[in-house]
Amino acid sequence: MLKVIQHIFIIPLLISAILSLKVFRLRWPFQYKIFSVLLLFLLILECFNIIWKYYLHNAFGWHYSQATIWSYNISFAFQYLLYTLFYYHSLSHLKFRRAVLVTGILLCIFIILNQLFWQGLHQVNTYAHILADCCMIFFCFAFFEELKNSEIKNEKLKLLSGNMSIMKNPLVWISLGVFIYHLLNIPYLFGMNYMVKNKIPFAVNFHYIYMSFVCLMYICFIKSFLCPHPQQK
């Protein structure tokens, strides 16, 4: 049962990645193509990790650990570089775009340095994860701040023009999913180490809750690609 729950998020991830391919066929704005690449990359990464865990780690005569934390760590900087580029191209205000770009680049540099000199590749890089969570919350805040003022000031997104509903804008759903997951991931990271050492049953149940956060994020991504064609920036 635990094995099934551990990998249940693959289903909404797969659906969102498949739906995201429409952005190339229907010529959605560039930021959605970046996001589609991110989802496809995450799907490939998760499939590789599952295959490694249950087959590749001891295939071909070698005998490695089943743990896949090293693959997540290696891909971590690239994932958040794509997130940075996505929000950089999604935002309109120059001050927000510059802040996102600088923050994202510094985050990626820190991720790499953390792996090389501090926490390494074979344990959860909690420092980098918490910093990444904070950065993503900031990126979402920047987007929602623009959204709040879009009717008056925003000339590119035009979220409230005509009959266009805010909730039909893909960026809203993507940012909602990103915000919820990264906001809830912070207490998970802070509490998980303690629970694993002291309260194993509760840690297992807490992991179920964590997986629901992941599924919720991908469900929001699915909803985003069911929205009408967004307006070009």
Side-chain angles (χ1 to χ4, degrees), residues 6-192:
Q6 283 179 332
H7 305 303
I8 193 69
F9 69 93
I10 287 290
I11 297 174
L13 171 56
L14 174 63
I15 296 172
S16 62
I18 292 173
L19 288 176
S20 75
L21 294 174
K22 68 187 283 188
V23 305
F24 298 98
R25 178 171 55 87
L26 300 179
R27 298 182 180 181
W28 281 30
F30 181 66
Q31 62 266 35
Y32 297 101
K33 297 176 183 178
I34 295 174
F35 201 75
S36 178
V37 171
L38 172 61
L39 290 177
L40 293 170
F41 175 76
L42 291 174
L43 179 61
I44 293 171
L45 175 65
E46 295 297 347
C47 289
F48 168 80
N49 287 339
I50 291 174
I51 296 171
W52 176 271
K53 184 174 182 178
Y54 297 109
Y55 175 68
L56 282 180
H57 76 279
N58 61 359
F60 311 113
W62 59 43
H63 298 282
Y64 293 103
S65 170
Q66 285 183 301
T68 56
I69 191 64
W70 58 271
S71 65
Y72 286 112
N73 286 335
I74 289 174
S75 65
F76 199 44
F78 181 66
Q79 290 180 44
Y80 282 91
L81 176 62
L82 291 178
Y83 270 121
T84 298
L85 293 175
F86 169 74
Y87 275 102
Y88 175 78
H89 288 283
S90 297
L91 295 169
S92 299
H93 293 181
L94 184 59
K95 64 177 182 179
F96 282 146
R97 298 184 76 195
R98 287 177 175 173
V100 164
L101 186 60
V102 172
T103 302
I105 291 174
L106 292 177
L107 170 63
C108 292
I109 293 173
F110 178 82
I111 290 171
I112 294 171
L113 292 176
N114 187 54
Q115 292 171 4
L116 292 176
F117 300 109
W118 298 306
Q119 293 186 298
L121 289 177
H122 299 288
Q123 64 174 316
V124 178
N125 288 182
T126 51
Y127 304 153
H129 276 279
I130 292 172
L131 183 60
D133 291 334
C134 294
C135 290
M136 296 310 300
I137 291 170
F138 165 66
F139 292 176
C140 293
F141 170 80
F143 168 73
F144 286 121
E145 181 67 19
E146 278 198 358
L147 183 66
K148 183 181 71 173
N149 300 317
S150 60
E151 186 174 16
I152 300 173
K153 298 179 180 180
N154 196 325
E155 298 178 357
K156 297 184 177 181
L157 295 177
K158 298 180 180 179
L159 296 174
L160 301 178
S161 63
N163 297 320
M164 184 68 174
S165 169
I166 288 177
M167 301 311 293
K168 291 182 180 179
N169 188 287
L171 286 173
V172 172
W173 288 102
I174 292 174
S175 294
L176 184 62
V178 170
F179 178 79
I180 291 173
Y181 169 75
H182 287 88
L183 181 65
L184 297 177
N185 194 46
I186 295 176
Y188 173 80
L189 290 172
F190 275 114
M192 198 59 183

